[in-house]
Amino acid sequence: DTEVTQTPKHLVMGMTNKKSLKCEQHMGHRAMYWYKQKAKKPPELMFVYSYEKLSINESVPSRFSPECPNSSLLNLHLHALQPEDSALYLCASSQLGADTQYFGPGTRLTVL
Amino acid sequence: GENVEQHPSTLSVQEGDSAVIKCTYSDSASNYFPWYKQELGKRPQLIIDIRSNVGEKKDQRIAVTLNKTAKHFSLHITETQPEDSAVYFCAARFTDKLIFGTGTRLQVFP
């Protein structure tokens, strides 16, 4: 299996809702990433997990809470989001210490 | 700081022509440079990459060149086809993360 999967594909939520995005990979990668991508912009790094431990937090607001339950799964918990948080959220994975990152299809998030 | 500049922002070519996209990076310690293609509504897909110990790499119609002294690298697509139309992002590795360029929208007209 050489693919990163993400669920859901689309998510619409209100500013008071709590929701979670899920990412899964079965390539044996030990590094996993969350990116945010706005329209016509490049992916912007949010978090990096290495060996299931948070190694990089790019000063992301606390309304985004990442979690890595095991080496194959990565979650992003969302709470009290703002309309400007609407974006495509991409998950990626790579071999630890290697460079090549493989992206999932993304979750298109709309905050009303 | 960490920065990758990418030019041009848009590029229109006739089918069969070549396309060149250029990127410059700020950190001379960067040693890995991937290129991603992103079609509308799809995920970024790695199309080619190059490491700092190599000056050029080819894969069929796609090639990447790297000039470490000048800190720039380029993507070359030959014999372009309509299906090459997409947004292309260059990136450079800074320590444990990739920094992306701002993207080039390539349109190939039949």
Side-chain angles (χ1 to χ4, degrees):
Chain A
D1 189 348
T2 58
E3 202 172 62
V4 178
T5 59
Q6 289 185 244
T7 56
K9 289 184 179 179
H10 302 276
L11 180 61
V12 179
M13 60 187 291
M15 290 189 285
T16 58
N17 291 159
K18 286 185 181 181
K19 297 286 185 182
S20 296
L21 310 184
K22 297 185 184 300
C23 173
E24 190 168 2
Q25 58 88 15
H26 293 289
M27 294 181 279
H29 291 171
R30 302 309 295 268
M32 296 186 76
Y33 311 79
W34 279 116
Y35 287 87
K36 173 182 178 180
Q37 187 177 28
K38 301 283 272 186
K40 300 185 180 181
K41 297 291 187 182
E44 180 183 342
L45 184 65
M46 300 174 71
F47 303 104
V48 180
Y49 272 83
S50 300
Y51 283 112
E52 296 120 66
K53 292 193 186 323
L54 184 65
S55 59
I56 295 177
N57 177 343
E58 292 286 275
S59 302
V60 179
S62 60
R63 58 186 184 268
F64 295 91
S65 175
E67 178 196 19
C68 190
N70 60 54
S71 60
S72 300
L73 292 174
L74 187 65
N75 298 322
L76 186 62
H77 303 298
L78 315 172
H79 173 56
L81 294 193
Q82 304 297 308
E84 58 265 29
D85 296 322
S86 298
L88 180 68
Y89 287 84
L90 293 161
C91 173
S93 71
S94 71
Q95 298 272 13
L96 198 59
D99 307 304
T100 307
Q101 292 185 22
Y102 298 92
F103 284 87
T107 294
R108 176 75 58 191
L109 175 66
T110 302
V111 182
L112 301 177
Chain B
E2 308 151 349
N3 187 46
V4 177
E5 294 188 3
Q6 183 172 347
H7 299 283
S9 57
T10 60
L11 181 59
S12 296
V13 300
Q14 203 75 31
E15 182 178 0
D17 288 349
S18 296
V20 180
I21 303 171
K22 299 182 179 182
C23 290
T24 59
Y25 58 98
S26 58
D27 188 348
S28 57
S30 293
N31 59 6
Y32 174 68
F33 308 92
W35 286 88
Y36 286 87
K37 174 185 180 182
Q38 188 173 28
E39 297 177 57
L40 191 62
K42 301 283 183 67
R43 76 185 80 191
Q45 289 205 301
L46 180 72
I47 55 172
I48 196 166
D49 56 12
I50 192 167
R51 300 180 190 282
S52 57
N53 58 347
V54 175
E56 184 176 1
K57 183 177 178 180
K58 285 185 180 180
D59 183 3
Q60 300 183 348
R61 297 185 297 108
I62 295 174
V64 57
T65 58
L66 172 65
N67 182 327
K68 283 206 68 181
T69 304
K71 292 191 286 186
H72 67 69
F73 56 112
S74 300
L75 178 70
H76 304 254
I77 306 175
T78 59
E79 300 173 24
T80 54
Q81 301 168 3
E83 51 265 37
D84 294 329
S85 297
V87 178
Y88 291 79
F89 292 103
C90 64
R93 179 176 176 173
F94 293 90
T95 58
D96 294 334
K97 54 188 179 181
L98 291 180
I99 302 297
F100 286 83
T102 49
T104 296
R105 179 170 299 279
L106 174 65
Q107 290 182 299
V108 180
F109 293 97

